[in-house]
Amino acid sequence: MSHTEADLAQLLHTGPFHLALRTALAVRGLPLQRVQHHLAHRGVRVGVTSLSYWQQGPAARSGRSP
């Protein structure tokens, strides 16, 4: 599914976080490594693996299918 800036704006307002993150990555065309770099530049250290889990949502962390 192709997302738009309007979809992103709505998800940033309403959530859930994992869908907002996934949509932001798709709309902006950012790889996780680039997000990691941007966060590190702002003093937030987070691994690419963590970012990947965050975009997958709670089902991925609990072992359930999305």
Side-chain angles (χ1 to χ4, degrees), residues 12-39:
L12 289 172
H13 181 69
T14 63
F17 176 77
H18 72 283
L19 292 180
L21 176 59
R22 188 181 313 155
T23 301
L25 293 170
V27 168
R28 304 286 165 80
L30 292 173
L32 293 176
Q33 293 82 359
R34 187 72 177 141
V35 174
Q36 179 189 38
H37 174 78
H38 281 292
L39 290 170

Side-chain angles (χ1 to χ4, degrees), residues 39-64:
L39 290 170
H41 191 289
R42 289 161 179 76
V44 178
R45 295 174 51 104
V46 62
V48 171
T49 302
S50 294
L51 291 170
S52 178
Y53 280 130
W54 291 353
Q55 74 168 336
Q56 292 175 38
R61 291 187 292 278
S62 68
R64 295 188 319 259

